[in-house]
């Protein structure tokens, strides 16, 4: 079959690499893709906000399956658009409709869903611009640190964690009265702070059954020792040592099953991934957030551990056969280290020539923000540039391999964290 994959990051390069290995694949297109995805299919320059051109491309190229990497097209209603059009309604879409995408697109919607379905999460209340006083009262009833979240999508920047009550009150006012995060902050969710270690769990679901994928841990801050600004993600590892059988049983029982049951009972139209951001609080899992896609850079650690044919897995999703499917998982450890542009996540420069790519032997290099020229030279083209993933029989060995490979890769101003996975050794 012909497949179109949407997106252009390390997640999409990893998915393209995996889909290209499927025996069911005829041709893979990636839109817009990057220098890495071009090695596994044809990059096409489609505007992901223009649904009409996407639909025309799907028809022209006889695409049978559309895999949506990032959340934005789903939140914008791409699924609904294609399903409501006679000519495209039968195309299989790994993704969900606009309603379901609110699980990621609106934190208030997600919290309401969790509350309704008795899924453990931090205590919270939501406030709009007419409820600033009530918001302040609620803040006063909590203990520091204070967690404020813009309701809508804010490019991963909409969550503030503040140690001081006055600061929290002033940020609440900035968000509700002075549009700090634009329309995304028209509603603010204030929630209780959860103290623990984070973990990313992933399922593939048709809204009735689900398949649990390997879990991962993501390293979000820019600095060594989890310091400094939040980023899109600086590295990941899988499996996660503290996510043992007992903990993952709690995750399935308390969180995943009620989540899928909620999707079903509320009539969600859902054929895709759910990424559940969890906090392990003294051995008990709480949901921090839902995403309607795979995580990045978790995908770079998780997908290489899946040995099953990914298009066969997607077929099972669409044929209602998920429960019978036995996902083959490699028991080895993966470690992914992200190389970023100097200055990221603040201002940074692009267009730096990357050297050393051909010297890498013991790791996989997934491209994020890259671009190649006619001579096959590769240049940086974003904040996150490369994801270096290695696999080995122990976490320690996987980490070591990734850092040995990274030492061979160079471009002006490159930066990476030197401590990915080491807190778990
Ligand atoms: P989110 O965008 O909801 O994933 O939040 C971004 C990050 O903020 C999370 O990955 C956590 O590290 C942190 N965070 C969010 N909510 C809480 C909470 N209730 N308690 C502690 N940390 C949180
Ligand atoms: N790694 C976190 C995310 O993809 O949102």
């Amino acid at each position: 079959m012909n497949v179109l994959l949407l997106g252009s990051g390390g997640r999409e390069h990893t998915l393209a690499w995996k889909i290209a290995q499927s025996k069911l694949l005829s041709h893979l297109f990636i839109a817009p893709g990057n220098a890495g995805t071009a090695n596994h299919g044809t990059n096409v320059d489609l505007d992901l906000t223009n649904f009409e051109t996407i639909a025309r491309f799907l028809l022209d190229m006889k695409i049978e399956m559309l895999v949506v990497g990032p959340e934005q097209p789903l939140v914008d209603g791409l699924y609904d658009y294609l399903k409501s059009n006679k000519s495209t309604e039968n195309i299989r879409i790994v993704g969900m409709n606009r309603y379901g995408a609110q699980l990621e697109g609106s934190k208030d919607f997600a919290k309401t869903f969790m509350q309704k379905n008795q899924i453990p999460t931090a205590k919270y209340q939501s406030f709009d611009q007419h409820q600033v006083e009530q918001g302040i009262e609620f803040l006063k009833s909590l203990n520091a640190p204070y967690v404020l979240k813009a309701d809508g999508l804010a490019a991963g920047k909409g969550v503030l964690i503040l140690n001081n009550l006055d600061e929290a009150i002033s940020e609440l006012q900035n968000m509700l009265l002075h549009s700090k995060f634009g329309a995304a902050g028209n509603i603010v969710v204030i929630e209780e702070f959860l103290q623990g270690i984070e973990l990313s769990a992933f399922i593939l679901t048709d809204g009735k059954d689900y398949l649990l994928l390997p879990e991962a841990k993501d390293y979000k801050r820019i600095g060594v020792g989890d310091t400094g600004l939040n980023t899109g993600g600086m590295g990941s590892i899988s499996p996660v040592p503290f996510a043992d059988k007992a903990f993952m049983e709690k995750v399935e029982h308390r969180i995943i099953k009620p989540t899928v049951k909620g999707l079903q009972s509320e009539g969600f139209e859902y054929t895709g991934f759910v990424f559940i951001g969890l906090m392990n609080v003294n051995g008990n899992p709480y949901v921090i957030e839902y995403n309607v896609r795979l995580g990045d850079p978790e995908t770079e650690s998780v997908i290489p551990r899946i040995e099953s044919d990914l298009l066969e897995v997607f077929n099972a999703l669409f044929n209602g056969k998920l429960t019978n499917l036995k996902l083959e998982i490699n028991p080895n450890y993966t470690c992914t280290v992200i190389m970023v542009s100097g200055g990221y996540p603040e201002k940074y420069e692009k267009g730096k020539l990357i050297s050393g790519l051909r010297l890498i032997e013991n790791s996989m290099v997934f491209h994020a923000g890259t671009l190649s020229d006619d001579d096959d030279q590769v240049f940086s083209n974003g904040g996150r540039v490369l994801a270096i993933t290695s696999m080995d029989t122990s976490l320690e060995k996987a980490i070591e391999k990734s850092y040995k490979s990274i030492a061979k890769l160079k471009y002006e101003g490159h930066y990476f964290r030197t401590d990915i996975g080491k807190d778990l050794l």
Side-chain angles (χ1 to χ4, degrees), residues 58 185 257 269 349 353 387 389 414:
L58 290 168
K257 286 186 198 301
E269 215 173 296
E349 289 177 16
L353 179 66
T389 299
H414 75 267

Side-chain angles (χ1 to χ4, degrees), residues 9-11 14 217-222 231-237 295-301 335-342 344 364-369 382-390 402-403 406 409 411 413-421:
R11 169 182 51 214
T14 313
K217 184 173 187 288
D218 163 26
Y219 292 78
K220 286 204 168 82
R221 304 289 196 94
I222 188 71
T231 70
M234 296 298 290
S236 63
I237 60 108
D296 193 349
E298 289 95 328
T299 304
E300 290 91 312
S301 286
C335 168
T336 300
V337 182
I338 302 287
M339 292 180 84
V340 303
S341 298
Y344 174 81
M364 295 165 264
V365 178
F366 296 117
H367 293 225
R384 291 193 286 174
V385 178
L386 296 171
I388 289 75
T389 299
S390 313
S402 279
Y403 283 110
I406 263 201
L409 294 165
Y411 53 89
H414 75 267
Y415 171 79
F416 56 88
R417 266 178 69 165
T418 53
D419 63 338
I420 302 300

Side-chain angles (χ1 to χ4, degrees), residues 107 149 159 161 191-194 198 220 288-289:
K107 303 221 184 259
K149 300 185 173 184
V159 175
I161 298 180
E191 65 180 41
E192 168 192 44
F193 182 82
L194 297 174
E198 275 179 72
K220 286 204 168 82
I288 295 270
E289 63 166 345

Side-chain angles (χ1 to χ4, degrees), residues 323-356:
T323 20
N324 303 330
L325 191 89
K326 179 92 185 70
L327 196 65
E328 286 163 50
I329 296 173
N330 188 318
N332 286 336
Y333 285 81
T334 46
C335 168
T336 300
V337 182
I338 302 287
M339 292 180 84
V340 303
S341 298
Y344 174 81
E346 298 186 279
K347 226 174 96 138
Y348 57 84
E349 289 177 16
K350 298 197 257 192
K352 308 294 182 193
L353 179 66
I354 302 170
S355 68

Side-chain angles (χ1 to χ4, degrees), residues 344-398:
Y344 174 81
E346 298 186 279
K347 226 174 96 138
Y348 57 84
E349 289 177 16
K350 298 197 257 192
K352 308 294 182 193
L353 179 66
I354 302 170
S355 68
L357 287 167
R358 289 195 178 82
L359 305 175
I360 307 303
E361 286 168 346
N362 297 318
S363 303
M364 295 165 264
V365 178
F366 296 117
H367 293 225
T370 65
L371 197 71
S372 58
D373 66 7
D374 295 342
D375 300 325
D376 270 348
Q377 298 201 99
V378 180
F379 299 86
S380 66
N381 190 39
R384 291 193 286 174
V385 178
L386 296 171
I388 289 75
T389 299
S390 313
M391 189 186 271
D392 212 313
T393 49
S394 74
L395 179 58
E396 195 165 10
K397 286 186 193 162

Side-chain angles (χ1 to χ4, degrees), residues 75-86:
V75 173
D76 292 345
L78 176 62
Y79 183 105
D80 311 62
Y81 179 87
L82 296 172
K83 290 294 172 191
S84 66
N85 241 303
K86 267 260 160 294

Side-chain angles (χ1 to χ4, degrees), residues 123-141:
K123 196 171 79 178
Y124 82 106
Q125 278 184 37
S126 301
F127 304 93
D128 66 20
Q129 57 173 344
H130 306 294
Q131 299 166 313
V132 179
E133 284 312 312
Q134 290 96 312
I136 293 173
E137 286 312 307
F138 185 62
L139 279 174
K140 286 180 179 164
S141 75

